[in-house]
Amino acid sequence: MTKVVDMTDKGNGTNGAELTGAGAKMWLLAFVDRVVAGADELTELDREAGDGDFGWNISSALKRGREGLEGIDEAHPAQAFQTVADAFLASGGTSGPLFGLWFGRLGAGPTAPWGVPELGAAFGTATEAVRRLGKAEVGHKTMVDAMVPATEVLTDATARTWREAVSEAARAARAGAESTGGMVAHRGRASYLGERAKDVLDPGAVAVAWFFESAEGV
Amino acid sequence: MTKVVDMTDKGNGTNGAELTGAGAKMWLLAFVDRVVAGADELTELDREAGDGDFGWNISSALKRGREGLEGIDEAHPAQAFQTVADAFLASGGTSGPLFGLWFGRLGAGPTAPWGVPELGAAFGTATEAVRRLGKAEVGHKTMVDAMVPATEVLTDATARTWREAVSEAARAARAGAESTGGMVAHRGRASYLGERAKDVLDPGAVAVAWFFESAEGV
Amino acid sequence: MSRFFMNERETLVEQALEGFAESHSGLVDVHPDPLFVTRRTPTTGKVALLSGGGSGHEPLHTGFVGQGMLDAAVPGDVFTSPTALQVRAAIQAVDSGEGTVMVVKNYTGDVLNFSIAAELLADTHRVEQVLVDDDLATEREDDGGPGRRGTAAVVAVEKICGAAAEAGVPIAQVRDLGRRVVARSATLGVSFEACTNPETGRRSFELEPGEMEFGVGIHGERGIQTRVIGKADDLVESLVSRLVEAVGLRRSDSVLAIVNGLGATHGLELAVAARQTRRVLDGQGIDITRSLVGPYVTSLDMKGLSITLTALTDDLVKFWDAPVRTPALVW
Amino acid sequence: MSRFFMNERETLVEQALEGFAESHSGLVDVHPDPLFVTRRTPTTGKVALLSGGGSGHEPLHTGFVGQGMLDAAVPGDVFTSPTALQVRAAIQAVDSGEGTVMVVKNYTGDVLNFSIAAELLADTHRVEQVLVDDDLATEREDDGGPGRRGTAAVVAVEKICGAAAEAGVPIAQVRDLGRRVVARSATLGVSFEACTNPETGRRSFELEPGEMEFGVGIHGERGIQTRVIGKADDLVESLVSRLVEAVGLRRSDSVLAIVNGLGATHGLELAVAARQTRRVLDGQGIDITRSLVGPYVTSLDMKGLSITLTALTDDLVKFWDAPVRTPALVW
Ligand SMILES: Nc1ncnc2c1ncn2[C@@H]1O[C@H](COP(=O)(O)OP(=O)(O)O)[C@@H](O)[C@H]1O
Ligand SMILES: Nc1ncnc2c1ncn2[C@@H]1O[C@H](COP(=O)(O)OP(=O)(O)O)[C@@H](O)[C@H]1O
Ligand SMILES: [Mg+2]
Ligand SMILES: [Mg+2]
Ligand SMILES: [Mg+2]
Ligand SMILES: [Mg+2]
């Protein structure tokens, strides 16, 4: 949890127990790539159960985020997350402010490398804020369905390294995203369609699963 | 050429050398049926080489014409043709006034049954009027391409009965209509398409062929 | 799949006119038999201005009846000229003694029926005709074929002649003004998707993905060429360049630009086209002194647009700017 | 096949706004960064009226900026709420000290972003919100879901609040007037063909021949049911009957009827719908005191329409009739 640990970590977060600024940046850049590559998939889900712009919204935001990320000095994870938050806040839509808030709360986390406990605390605050602003609970078929189980894993994590913890969180987020197939939406545009959009996965939840899964290669 | 001939003709024009009022009415009613049944075909030709309304225009006019025909007393061919002319004149479009004029000139023909010479004279005047108003010559890909050869047959006819003469005219009209396939239009909307509409038959010419062919069963 | 919203094909135009007249009952009256539309409050002591043609181009012409523009509009069935008897009745209704100027789009059917109407009234009414033939796509070196089609320049003619008539300009001058506008105008249209035939529910033609029709009119017909759709800016540039040449515009000339939606074109799309129209003209030192952007002369629900340029002079600008109060145009 | 006419998806909204502003340069100004639209000539000493939301609904909201209606419109990307920072900048630009009323269509994204903007300005500006939620199709007996969508009743709210603000009515009353209009309004929409996604060029859904979507909103989404298309009159009757019930209209009540095209619906089709709307209401002794027929709140190039009824009172009629001078509405 000190700069010293960070140094032994080769400065890129690929070996240590803690998430460094460089590690967070790599993670987020991998997320950008995943979303840009899969934008059409997300748009298609939003076309079936929304207004067909989610892939466009999130990939525009993250492309802007990538520019920001490339310019930062990798000091600590908070800075990387805040950079992405700013990009989302300049995006509008529903997902813009909600992801903006989520990453923004992460961006308000400790200004040093994060161990598993810091990770858990940061995601706990962030997810709680999204639930409050969106008035969304698990089962409402939104991004919250992936955020909440992933956050619970991180909060309760017994893993030693951030990578192990996030990898477990990714599995929980994926399961949460999958669970939205078969749900009748209570929030967001999919709720206008009632039973008609039941079988469609929520694109916001899928994006959250992609986010956690993007830590894999870091 | 007198009422007497008409009487021996059983009053329906099916036996005599002259076209009676009843015969003209049957002929025109058969034409109405042919056009109503084939309206979609004409519309399709006009869709490919015009604005897609010809089937509608001509069948609306002729349905109105049918109502008129049912009310007339079958005195002479002129009356029957004039009834159809009135229906066309209440139709608008390009074909409305042109067919209105054509049938109108026929309607100005002799007010007694018509022998072959009367037929030739009436169609001669009528077709000449359409050519003048439409500024259309043979080869311009319009109704005139069927009217002119049919009219020539009638004018030069050596046939004894009107039915024989019209049957020959029908063959000429059909050949004229077929000849419009392969023509680049110089009049009407098909001319806007130039080479692109070359292969499409002119629907107005096809309708004229149907008109002459409708005398067949009378 | 495509489909036209109506009750039955037979009553479409009649019912639409009823609905239209009720929605604008302060401005227009519909006369049912024969069918034509007039101002609610007739204006006498001025030249009457009348136009008409097939339906399916709304708001043209019925939407332009009112103070400062038309005295009457004579609608035919969809894409079908009105009859001479309709036109005659409309002239009789609005001619208050100063004569009538008919604005006729150049189509064989319209020319026939409007001309016959004028002839029928030759003994009792002075009727002058302005023939609108602005569509470059149908220009041909020919033996008296039908000539250029009449398309969106008709809006400029109706607005400018309407203002002149309202101002008390006599019939010959109103007619000549209209002819001057026609002579100074050119239009080109393109289509990205055909319109729906209200009778069959079918599109008037089919395009492959990425294709468009270049040089379309306003009756759902194909254009003069099928082309690949490129960027909006490139297409607009190619249209505007040809118009500039055809109208004979030079540096520091002043124009009216009409960027017209053909029916299903969205406001965003028209605005993108309007933007580039201005840029191309700016680049040649030509000033868009006035512009009109929107669906004014439609081709049912065709997806596409046309651009019209009219070279302006001070008097044309003055008549364009004069007040107008119609269902579709108000200022 | 279907396709959206533009240069590239990235610049669509920005270029369209440039084109729009140039075509109406006497009336509006576009502020590029952050993006919002204001009147060309700001009016001070009155409550500022502001609205906004995703683009793709033009002429809403940008076409309603001008005297007697909005002071500013804040457009987001297509179907995407603008950001809180855009809304904040627009409020700062138009609030001349009498406070700002924001007209917000009820969508999660809009509500979030407009509310955040108001909160950001809480210390320095008085900002009130009118939430428009008129779409009956999305009514649900629910636990605080997003609630009814905001659709075409927003035009009535903007016109009436705009006239009130222009007349010097203070902020709380302008807000309450807007809320009263919302409470007295209901809308239902249907679609015969989906709109084109400008990014993918695909339609937002596919229908079989003869099918339509009942209960659609303005974002290309399916409705609440797929139904067989019948006669126009039957469909309009079923829409109007439900609206009459929802608004609680009784014999001799007076209404504003908005027959709104969703983008690709032709004037003939809207006029047929307007005609039957009047007949159904006449049959129940309800008077269409005012009406508005046209594409005012579109869903890109969706083929379909919505009907809105607003129960009128004398003061609402007065504000509706007050002069307005905007790109899309003039009287
Ligand atoms: N009330 C809400 N709380 C949390 N997430 C929500 C809420 N409403 C929608 N979402 C999420 O937002 C996503 C859609 O985002 P986007 O397409 O940008 O918004 P819009 O619906 O405004 O077009 C949904 O897939 C869902 O995950
Ligand atoms: N100038 C002309 N002279 C003679 N016939 C013509 C002329 N122009 C068009 N036609 C005929 O009219 C037919 C089209 O009629 P219709 O569809 O009613 O007219 P429109 O083209 O006005 O829709 C054509 O098939 C052609 O035979
Ligand atoms: Mg969306
Ligand atoms: Mg035709
Ligand atoms: Mg026609
Ligand atoms: Mg959206």
Side-chain angles (χ1 to χ4, degrees):
Chain A
M1 253 168 277
T2 64
K3 277 274 169 192
V4 178
V5 177
D6 190 21
M7 308 300 259
T8 68
D9 195 32
K10 300 177 193 156
N12 63 3
T14 48
N15 265 326
E18 297 184 327
L19 177 65
T20 61
K25 179 172 161 179
M26 283 179 65
W27 177 5
L28 286 164
L29 286 172
F31 177 46
V32 177
D33 290 344
R34 180 72 188 88
V35 165
V36 170
D40 290 352
E41 247 173 275
L42 299 177
T43 287
E44 180 58 22
L45 294 174
D46 198 38
R47 186 179 81 95
E48 287 181 45
D51 59 350
D53 62 354
F54 181 67
W56 173 261
N57 288 348
I58 188 172
S59 63
S60 321
L62 285 175
K63 281 180 200 164
R64 241 191 329 270
R66 174 158 59 195
E67 282 170 37
L69 285 170
E70 278 157 3
I72 64 171
D73 66 2
E74 317 180 359
H76 46 73
Q79 193 193 9
F81 289 124
Q82 187 59 51
T83 303
V84 169
D86 292 346
F88 272 112
L89 287 172
S91 285
T94 303
S95 56
L98 291 176
F99 278 128
L101 182 64
W102 200 52
F103 285 108
R105 286 298 143 103
L106 298 177
T111 55
W114 297 2
V116 175
E118 285 79 19
L119 263 179
F123 277 94
T125 321
T127 297
E128 186 48 35
V130 170
R131 280 174 55 181
R132 221 180 326 106
L133 192 64
K135 302 197 186 75
E137 299 303 326
V138 168
H140 282 172
K141 194 177 182 118
T142 69
M143 52 176 72
V144 164
D145 283 296
M147 286 174 174
V148 165
T151 302
E152 279 168 2
V153 164
L154 291 175
T155 318
D156 304 344
T158 52
R160 208 191 54 85
T161 70
W162 77 271
R163 217 174 271 96
E164 281 167 47
V166 170
S167 162
E168 275 176 49
R171 280 192 293 278
R174 166 58 53 188
E178 299 291 341
S179 75
T180 62
M183 279 184 193
V184 173
H186 290 254
R187 294 291 179 278
R189 290 180 197 280
S191 69
Y192 302 142
L193 293 168
E195 293 280 336
R196 302 186 87 184
K198 203 172 162 183
D199 294 339
V200 184
L201 295 192
D202 177 67
V206 170
V208 169
W210 289 359
F211 167 69
F212 286 107
E213 288 162 5
S214 299
E216 194 67 33
V218 176
Chain B
M1 254 168 278
T2 64
K3 276 273 170 193
V4 179
V5 177
D6 190 23
M7 307 299 261
T8 67
D9 195 31
K10 300 178 193 157
N12 63 5
T14 49
N15 266 329
E18 298 185 328
L19 177 66
T20 61
K25 178 172 162 179
M26 281 179 65
W27 177 6
L28 286 163
L29 286 172
F31 178 45
V32 177
D33 289 343
R34 179 72 187 88
V35 165
V36 170
D40 289 352
E41 246 172 276
L42 299 177
T43 287
E44 179 59 21
L45 294 175
D46 198 38
R47 185 178 82 95
E48 286 180 46
D51 59 350
D53 61 354
F54 180 68
W56 174 262
N57 289 348
I58 188 172
S59 63
S60 319
L62 284 175
K63 280 180 200 165
R64 239 190 333 270
R66 173 158 59 196
E67 283 171 36
L69 285 170
E70 277 157 3
I72 63 171
D73 65 3
E74 318 182 359
H76 47 74
Q79 190 190 13
F81 290 123
Q82 187 58 52
T83 304
V84 169
D86 292 345
F88 272 111
L89 287 172
S91 283
T94 303
S95 57
L98 290 176
F99 277 128
L101 182 65
W102 200 53
F103 285 107
R105 287 296 145 102
L106 298 178
T111 55
W114 297 1
V116 174
E118 286 77 19
L119 261 180
F123 277 93
T125 322
T127 297
E128 187 46 36
V130 170
R131 279 173 57 179
R132 222 180 328 104
L133 192 64
K135 301 194 186 75
E137 299 304 327
V138 168
H140 282 173
K141 196 179 180 113
T142 69
M143 53 176 70
V144 165
D145 284 296
M147 286 175 174
V148 165
T151 301
E152 279 167 2
V153 164
L154 291 176
T155 317
D156 304 344
T158 53
R160 207 191 52 86
T161 69
W162 76 272
R163 217 176 271 98
E164 279 166 48
V166 170
S167 164
E168 275 175 50
R171 278 191 294 278
R174 164 61 52 190
E178 299 291 341
S179 76
T180 63
M183 278 183 195
V184 173
H186 290 254
R187 293 291 179 276
R189 291 179 196 281
S191 69
Y192 302 143
L193 293 168
E195 293 280 335
R196 301 187 88 183
K198 202 173 162 181
D199 295 338
V200 184
L201 295 191
D202 177 67
V206 171
V208 170
W210 288 359
F211 167 70
F212 285 106
E213 288 162 5
S214 299
E216 193 68 33
V218 175
Chain C
M1 118 90 209
S2 183
R3 200 257 178 191
F4 209 83
F5 183 72
M6 61 184 180
N7 288 302
E8 55 273 309
R9 178 66 184 82
E10 283 77 4
T11 56
L12 170 59
V13 169
E14 176 194 321
Q15 292 191 344
L17 278 166
E18 275 178 41
F20 164 77
E22 290 164 359
S23 308
H24 301 282
S25 57
L27 293 173
V28 300
D29 269 335
V30 171
H31 303 256
D33 194 15
L35 192 63
F36 61 93
V37 177
T38 59
R39 299 188 191 181
R40 168 73 344 146
T41 318
T43 318
T44 55
K46 65 180 264 302
V47 170
L49 189 70
L50 169 150
S51 190
S55 294
H57 309 300
E58 286 66 21
L60 188 79
H61 298 272
T62 49
F64 299 135
V65 172
Q67 202 194 312
M69 223 161 156
L70 298 179
D71 292 282
V74 192
D77 203 341
V78 176
F79 292 171
T80 301
S81 163
T83 68
L85 302 182
Q86 284 174 267
V87 177
R88 179 176 67 175
I91 294 173
Q92 288 171 321
V94 296
D95 190 335
S96 64
E98 309 296 316
T100 302
V101 173
M102 308 188 298
V103 179
V104 181
K105 300 194 299 307
N106 187 32
Y107 297 97
T108 310
D110 291 273
V111 173
L112 285 177
N113 288 295
F114 281 80
S115 305
I116 294 170
E119 253 182 55
L120 293 173
L121 292 170
D123 294 343
T124 52
H125 292 70
R126 173 149 183 211
V127 181
E128 296 285 351
Q129 181 171 302
V130 176
L131 195 66
V132 182
D133 60 346
D134 52 318
D135 177 25
L136 284 191
T138 42
E139 191 149 59
R140 276 173 123 207
E141 316 289 311
D142 213 45
D143 56 323
R148 286 184 183 185
R149 292 179 289 227
T151 57
V154 72
V155 179
V157 176
E158 292 178 9
K159 174 67 188 75
I160 287 167
C161 290
E166 209 78 38
V169 172
I171 184 161
Q173 279 164 258
V174 172
R175 174 201 63 201
D176 292 346
L177 195 61
R179 292 181 179 169
R180 196 146 65 85
V181 173
V182 173
R184 303 170 73 86
S185 298
T187 299
L188 274 173
V190 293
S191 167
F192 312 113
E193 192 161 33
C195 61
T196 309
N197 183 316
E199 194 196 346
T200 62
R202 290 185 57 191
R203 294 201 184 279
S204 58
F205 54 80
E206 294 296 332
L207 287 168
E208 297 297 311
E211 281 181 3
M212 61 165 215
E213 284 292 310
F214 185 90
V216 298
I218 55 172
H219 294 87
E221 66 272 56
R222 277 192 183 270
I224 51 171
Q225 258 177 24
T226 305
R227 292 194 184 170
V228 169
I229 311 183
K231 289 211 175 193
D233 279 357
D234 296 336
L235 177 55
V236 169
E237 176 157 17
S238 81
L239 298 174
V240 172
S241 306
R242 286 191 53 180
L243 296 172
V244 165
E245 204 188 301
V247 178
L249 294 169
R250 311 240 184 106
R251 189 160 286 278
S252 82
D253 276 353
S254 150
V255 295
L256 162 69
I258 303 178
V259 178
N260 175 56
L262 290 176
T265 320
H266 196 258
L268 289 174
E269 298 173 290
L270 292 180
V272 167
R275 174 184 176 274
Q276 174 70 348
T277 300
R278 186 172 299 264
R279 273 159 189 63
V280 174
L281 290 170
D282 272 356
Q284 307 197 19
I286 298 161
D287 183 52
I288 300 195
T289 304
R290 296 291 180 273
S291 73
L292 190 67
V293 182
Y296 290 102
V297 180
T298 61
S299 179
L300 292 174
D301 58 353
M302 176 168 276
K303 195 155 167 122
L305 55 90
S306 67
I307 302 178
T308 302
L309 296 185
T310 303
L312 291 174
T313 53
D314 287 350
D315 63 330
L316 298 183
V317 173
K318 186 191 79 190
F319 288 129
W320 178 262
D321 286 348
V324 58
R325 196 160 193 83
T326 68
L329 224 52
V330 187
W331 60 69
Chain D
M1 118 92 209
S2 183
R3 199 258 179 189
F4 209 83
F5 183 72
M6 61 184 179
N7 288 302
E8 54 274 309
R9 178 64 184 83
E10 283 76 6
T11 55
L12 169 59
V13 169
E14 177 193 321
Q15 292 190 343
L17 278 165
E18 275 177 42
F20 163 77
E22 289 163 1
S23 310
H24 301 282
S25 58
L27 293 172
V28 300
D29 269 334
V30 171
H31 303 254
D33 192 16
L35 193 64
F36 62 93
V37 177
T38 59
R39 298 187 191 181
R40 169 77 325 157
T41 318
T43 318
T44 55
K46 66 177 265 302
V47 170
L49 189 70
L50 169 152
S51 190
S55 293
H57 310 299
E58 287 68 20
L60 189 77
H61 298 272
T62 48
F64 299 136
V65 173
Q67 204 193 312
M69 222 162 157
L70 299 180
D71 293 281
V74 192
D77 203 341
V78 176
F79 292 173
T80 301
S81 163
T83 68
L85 302 182
Q86 284 175 266
V87 178
R88 180 177 67 177
I91 295 173
Q92 288 171 323
V94 296
D95 191 335
S96 64
E98 309 295 315
T100 302
V101 173
M102 307 187 300
V103 179
V104 181
K105 301 194 298 307
N106 187 32
Y107 297 98
T108 311
D110 292 273
V111 172
L112 286 177
N113 287 295
F114 281 80
S115 304
I116 293 170
E119 254 182 55
L120 293 173
L121 293 170
D123 294 343
T124 52
H125 293 70
R126 174 151 182 207
V127 181
E128 297 285 350
Q129 181 171 301
V130 177
L131 195 68
V132 181
D133 60 345
D134 52 316
D135 177 27
L136 283 190
T138 42
E139 190 150 60
R140 276 173 122 208
E141 317 287 314
D142 212 41
D143 57 324
R148 286 183 181 186
R149 292 180 288 226
T151 57
V154 72
V155 178
V157 175
E158 292 179 8
K159 174 66 187 76
I160 288 168
C161 290
E166 210 77 38
V169 172
I171 184 164
Q173 278 163 259
V174 172
R175 175 201 63 202
D176 292 346
L177 194 61
R179 292 182 179 168
R180 196 146 68 83
V181 173
V182 173
R184 302 169 73 85
S185 297
T187 298
L188 273 173
V190 293
S191 168
F192 312 114
E193 192 160 35
C195 61
T196 309
N197 183 318
E199 194 197 345
T200 62
R202 290 185 56 191
R203 295 203 183 277
S204 58
F205 54 80
E206 293 297 332
L207 287 168
E208 297 296 313
E211 281 181 4
M212 61 166 213
E213 286 291 310
F214 184 90
V216 298
I218 54 172
H219 294 87
E221 66 272 57
R222 276 192 184 269
I224 52 172
Q225 258 177 22
T226 305
R227 292 196 185 168
V228 169
I229 310 183
K231 289 211 174 194
D233 280 357
D234 295 337
L235 177 55
V236 169
E237 175 157 19
S238 82
L239 297 174
V240 173
S241 306
R242 285 190 52 179
L243 295 172
V244 164
E245 204 189 301
V247 178
L249 294 169
R250 311 239 186 105
R251 188 160 285 279
S252 83
D253 276 353
S254 150
V255 295
L256 162 69
I258 303 178
V259 178
N260 175 57
L262 291 176
T265 320
H266 196 259
L268 289 173
E269 299 174 287
L270 292 180
V272 168
R275 174 183 177 275
Q276 174 70 347
T277 300
R278 186 172 299 264
R279 273 160 189 61
V280 174
L281 290 170
D282 273 355
Q284 307 196 20
I286 297 161
D287 183 52
I288 299 196
T289 304
R290 295 292 180 272
S291 72
L292 191 67
V293 181
Y296 290 102
V297 180
T298 60
S299 179
L300 291 173
D301 58 353
M302 176 168 275
K303 196 156 167 118
L305 56 90
S306 67
I307 301 178
T308 302
L309 296 184
T310 303
L312 290 174
T313 53
D314 289 348
D315 61 331
L316 297 184
V317 173
K318 187 191 76 189
F319 288 127
W320 179 262
D321 286 348
V324 59
R325 198 160 191 83
T326 68
L329 225 53
V330 188
W331 61 68

